Amino acid sequence: MSSNVRERIDELETLVLDKPHTIDSLSGVPFVVFPYDPEKELSVEDDIDDFVEKLEFNDLSVARIDLRDLVFSILDEQNLLESVIEIEKEDPGEVRAGLNSTFFEEFDGNRGTLMEELITRAEKHDVVVIHRCGILYPFSSISVILGQLENVIETPLIVFYPAVKHGKDLRFLDETDGTYYRAKVI
């Protein structure tokens, strides 16, 4: 993996614009994870803006999903935001379990709230770009999301993730982030 973010963005642009059919050629899933040094979060946001603009300039419909905003809006809509903030101060483990069930677990054949929202937002777009994923830590990981979206979303899905690649693992805040190996990592 090149340490130069701009070179990797160029590689990603070429992949999505010129070779989208090759994204899932080896893994069977159209997912790409773009890890970057968490310390570069602000500068990478500008790169994401440029990436999305280039895709749209090339007549691709892009669903850009700010995961942090989405998580906060779901919690707010469910009138849970204030209580989650308070509980997290006292018992982060309780928040972790509660958010996992709210966002990811299936009830009566329905996916968790976050998963349903991601699927809905991805519909009818040529490309999905998910960013600001650090909100998932520590209650979940990007590997959980990708695992649940597998065989559900066929649209190329690009995840910008503040993590460092160590071998086959992606580490966020020096914690192992999971073992989802099917996404292409650039």
Side-chain angles (χ1 to χ4, degrees):
M1 171 174 84
S2 170
S3 61
N4 184 313
V5 171
R6 186 66 244 167
E7 287 175 14
R8 292 172 45 234
I9 291 280
D10 290 344
E11 179 185 346
L12 183 59
E13 288 173 355
T14 299
L15 178 66
V16 174
L17 292 172
D18 300 335
K19 306 174 197 173
H21 59 282
T22 66
I23 293 173
D24 65 354
S25 64
L26 294 176
S27 65
V29 294
F31 303 156
V32 178
V33 176
F34 188 98
Y36 59 89
D37 184 340
E39 293 177 6
K40 296 183 179 183
E41 179 91 35
L42 295 178
S43 65
V44 170
E45 285 293 321
D46 292 336
D47 291 318
I48 295 168
D49 292 340
D50 294 344
F51 174 68
V52 170
E53 285 176 22
K54 188 165 188 177
L55 297 181
E56 291 174 339
F57 178 79
N58 283 279
D59 296 322
L60 292 176
S61 171
V62 180
R64 182 173 179 170
I65 301 171
D66 180 324
L67 204 55
R68 187 183 79 174
D69 286 350
L70 180 56
V71 166
F72 282 132
S73 87
I74 290 171
L75 291 173
D76 193 42
E77 287 171 11
Q78 295 179 350
N79 295 316
L80 295 172
L81 185 57
E82 295 302 319
S83 61
V84 166
I85 291 170
E86 289 304 313
I87 292 169
E88 183 179 32
K89 291 176 188 175
E90 296 171 20
D91 187 0
E94 185 177 337
V95 169
R96 191 174 306 136
L99 292 180
N100 267 327
S101 65
T102 298
F103 289 148
F104 300 108
E105 290 182 9
E106 293 188 29
F107 295 103
D108 297 329
N110 296 318
R111 292 177 184 87
T113 311
L114 180 63
M115 299 312 300
E116 286 293 341
E117 188 63 31
L118 289 172
I119 292 165
T120 298
R121 290 185 182 203
E123 290 175 352
K124 300 180 184 159
H125 290 281
D126 299 315
V127 179
V128 178
V129 174
I130 299 177
H131 63 108
R132 297 180 89 185
C133 301
I135 188 71
L136 295 174
Y137 183 83
F139 73 88
S140 190
S141 68
I142 207 64
S143 62
V144 170
I145 287 177
L146 295 179
Q148 289 197 10
L149 293 178
E150 189 175 307
N151 300 317
V152 176
I153 291 182
E154 295 178 12
T155 303
L157 181 118
I158 315 302
V159 178
F160 287 87
Y161 195 60
V164 178
K165 186 176 177 185
H166 291 285
K168 291 185 178 184
D169 290 334
L170 294 177
R171 294 183 171 282
F172 180 74
L173 295 179
D174 209 23
E175 297 286 331
T176 299
D177 184 24
T179 57
Y180 187 83
Y181 297 118
R182 296 196 64 195
K184 179 176 184 69
V185 178
I186 291 183

